[in-house]
Amino acid sequence: CVILDVQSACQDAIVTQELLKEGFHRDLLVKVELPVVGEDAGGYTMAARTHLPPGIYVDPYELASLQQHNLSKVVLIPDVIDLEAPEYLATDVLVLLYMESDPRCSRCFRATLPVHGRYHRPAEDSKEALVVLKSPEVLVCCCDNCLSAECWKPAEVEAPCSGKTNRPCQWYSVPHKPVYEESVLQIPVGLRQHSSLVCVVTFLATVLCSGLILTAVCKYGDFS
């Protein structure tokens, strides 16, 4: 395992957070570049800890599929999430996103997390709701207890080191400098003045579809 000297390790890591794609279904890309340490950082497990506000959620079933194919490793707190709840009934979610080494850079790590926007209340005059996502905290773990940097403070994280063991490891918080302090997700919302029109159209569509189904059942159903 690599031993970092205090002077090098106390320099700020550089954190970049981006929201990819458009609309309700996005990918959160987090990249971390450690300070120059003279050697690579291959002996460490890196993770990004971030709070998702109520306007954004992670689908546990989608994550389970990704983790089954070794495409992602994430710890959610709480691990039970109401996927149908609107923004005003949802709560924050704490995410620990394990990061992979970037093959193009020996001291760089990256990870991608699929996130989804929740439905918001209709607005008076805006067609978009803004959800602010703060820059994540950078965590490092070395299960061989080889950390020597005095500026890396122990972090309270009940999560194992990725790929090592199921028991919790000691994580440390890395001083970092975000490229952007926050990211903003724009969620399409309806307008309140359209509520009556939406209700009428929904009611008519429901009656029409119910009539078509009833007609088909009466015409082709076997009641013998």
Side-chain angles (χ1 to χ4, degrees), residues 15 20 52 71 97-98 127 186 210:
V15 181
L20 309 179
L52 298 184
L71 297 177
L97 178 60
Y98 292 87
K127 294 183 179 180
Q186 297 178 325
S210 300

Side-chain angles (χ1 to χ4, degrees), residues 165-197:
T165 175
N166 288 327
R167 67 178 180 82
C169 298
Q170 178 60 65
W171 292 85
Y172 293 83
S173 181
V174 178
H176 64 280
K177 178 175 62 177
V179 175
Y180 308 106
E181 291 291 340
E182 59 188 29
S183 300
V184 178
L185 177 65
Q186 297 178 325
I187 305 292
V189 297
L191 297 177
R192 290 187 178 179
Q193 57 264 38
H194 296 162
S195 298
S196 299
L197 176 62

Side-chain angles (χ1 to χ4, degrees), residues 14 24 29 46-47 55 60 92 121 141 169 173 182 214:
I14 299 176
F24 280 89
L29 173 62
M46 300 293 300
D92 290 3
R121 294 183 187 274
C141 172
C169 298
S173 181
E182 59 188 29
L214 182 60

Side-chain angles (χ1 to χ4, degrees), residues 40-129:
D40 64 45
Y44 295 96
T45 298
M46 300 293 300
R49 180 166 62 174
T50 185
H51 286 268
L52 298 184
I56 307 176
Y57 73 94
V58 178
D59 186 342
Y61 303 102
E62 182 180 18
L63 286 183
S65 177
L66 292 174
Q67 293 183 157
Q68 185 178 6
H69 295 87
N70 295 321
L71 297 177
S72 180
K73 184 170 178 61
V74 181
V75 174
L76 299 178
I77 303 174
D79 56 359
V80 177
I81 297 177
D82 186 351
L83 304 182
E84 304 299 329
E87 178 269 341
Y88 49 88
L89 295 179
T91 57
D92 290 3
V93 176
L94 179 63
V95 176
L96 184 67
L97 178 60
Y98 292 87
M99 311 188 76
E100 298 289 339
S101 299
D102 191 333
R104 297 166 296 182
C105 173
S106 61
R107 51 193 173 86
C108 299
F109 298 80
R110 60 185 293 150
T112 303
L113 176 69
V115 296
H116 309 275
R118 292 188 182 275
Y119 290 107
H120 287 61
R121 294 183 187 274
E124 291 289 350
D125 53 7
S126 176
K127 294 183 179 180
E128 291 181 335

